[in-house]
Amino acid sequence: MKNLSYTLLTRLLLLLLIQIGLSNTLCAQSRSSANTWTALELKNADTAKDAPYLNDEEKKLIFYMNLVRTNGEKFFNTYFQDFTNAYNQEMQQYRNYNDLRVNRKDKYYRGLEKDLKDVRNLPLFEPDETLTWVAQQHAKDLKKTNKAGHNSSDGRSVKDRITPYYPNRAMAENLAFGFSKGFANICMLLLDKNVNDLGHRKTILSTKNNLKYTGVTIGTHPGYRYCAVMDFISGPAD
């Protein structure tokens, strides 16, 4: 998937955010949605809980992707509403609120609602340590070069980076910028505002390429403050 999460304008706007305050608000809001999900659904979605190479926020990247794949409509009506309410409330302090807010009437919000309506019981993503290392190296490269893109500074593509470890697999990559929290990153990728082909959303909801394993990382970035890299591969051929 070759599109980034934000346009240059959004990058400049995100630099205005009070990251810690917003992140804490979003986390507090999201906990209320857990009451509408069964204990089994929440447990099953937490496939990364025992991965020692991931921190808590990185584990949440996988957790929330798995929740939306479990029941997209319920995710939209619970967690995504919590995110939208908290995010929009925080953005009201800025003069360009109308540019920053999640607009419940625009095509991205309405399109997400439609796309999630029939999502049920998709296979869950499982963490992979080697793929996580690949994602970490790309995040470090983006930080070092202060860039945002799928190609490494040495010209390698996503395929070039993953194939030496996992040949003959389908693969994809999502990048997100500006948020340190797993929950906010996933909600923004699902919304995919200003991304014409909705590539990030399609990857998270993918069923076509049998994407099964993911390697994720959240690191710091000099231009965007934070950078999340999520790499995906299919399972081995039978």
Side-chain angles (χ1 to χ4, degrees):
M1 303 300 173
K2 298 300 184 183
N3 290 300
L4 299 181
S5 302
Y6 304 103
T7 62
L8 179 59
L9 172 62
T10 309
R11 170 188 174 179
L12 296 175
L13 297 176
L14 284 173
L15 293 178
L16 299 174
L17 298 182
I18 303 174
Q19 177 68 33
I20 296 176
L22 176 59
S23 297
N24 288 341
T25 301
L26 292 175
C27 288
Q29 290 286 330
S30 68
R31 282 194 290 269
S32 67
S33 282
N35 295 329
T36 67
W37 292 74
T38 69
L40 183 60
E41 286 173 326
L42 297 173
K43 179 181 178 181
N44 288 344
D46 201 9
T47 59
K49 67 181 185 302
D50 295 323
Y53 48 88
L54 298 175
N55 64 36
D56 287 345
E57 292 306 321
E58 291 165 343
K59 291 177 182 179
K60 288 175 183 176
L61 289 171
I62 300 175
F63 173 72
Y64 287 114
M65 286 193 292
N66 282 339
L67 271 189
V68 74
R69 290 173 68 85
T70 298
N71 189 321
E73 184 176 29
K74 183 155 64 171
F75 185 92
F76 183 84
N77 290 330
T78 57
Y79 284 104
F80 193 77
Q81 296 309 309
D82 286 347
F83 169 79
T84 299
N85 291 337
Y87 179 82
N88 284 352
Q89 181 179 359
E90 187 71 23
M91 294 303 100
Q92 287 178 8
Q93 65 185 292
Y94 301 112
R95 290 185 298 175
N96 51 357
Y97 167 71
N98 286 332
D99 296 321
L100 287 168
R101 70 187 175 110
V102 176
N103 184 349
R104 286 185 163 96
K105 295 182 179 180
D106 75 12
K107 64 180 182 180
Y108 300 102
Y109 180 92
R110 291 301 185 189
L112 178 61
E113 181 179 25
K114 180 180 178 181
D115 287 348
L116 294 186
K117 186 174 181 61
D118 296 322
V119 172
R120 294 286 191 284
N121 300 318
L122 299 183
L124 302 181
F125 292 127
E126 299 177 21
D128 181 90
E129 187 170 6
T130 299
L131 201 58
T132 295
W133 182 85
V134 173
Q136 289 170 343
Q137 301 317 300
H138 190 51
K140 290 177 181 178
D141 185 56
L142 295 178
K143 176 181 179 179
K144 181 179 179 180
T145 59
N146 194 18
K147 292 184 177 180
H150 292 281
N151 286 344
S152 302
S153 59
D154 60 7
R156 287 180 300 152
S157 66
V158 176
K159 183 177 180 180
D160 294 333
R161 294 195 303 272
I162 295 177
T163 297
Y165 306 98
Y166 294 107
N168 304 315
R169 305 281 188 100
M171 60 191 67
E173 179 174 84
N174 276 350
L175 304 179
F177 296 88
F179 292 95
S180 65
K181 300 298 183 180
F183 179 53
N185 275 297
I186 296 306
C187 286
M188 280 298 197
L189 288 169
L190 286 168
L191 185 64
D192 240 3
K193 186 175 180 179
N194 297 325
V195 178
N196 290 331
D197 70 355
L198 304 175
H200 308 99
R201 182 191 302 176
K202 290 176 181 178
T203 295
I204 293 172
L205 303 178
S206 176
T207 58
K208 292 182 179 180
N209 295 318
N210 190 32
L211 297 179
K212 182 176 182 180
Y213 299 104
T214 185
V216 303
T217 188
I218 301 174
T220 58
H221 189 280
Y224 294 93
R225 299 187 68 184
Y226 298 98
C227 167
V229 179
M230 288 150 269
D231 287 330
F232 303 84
I233 58 170
S234 61
D238 295 332

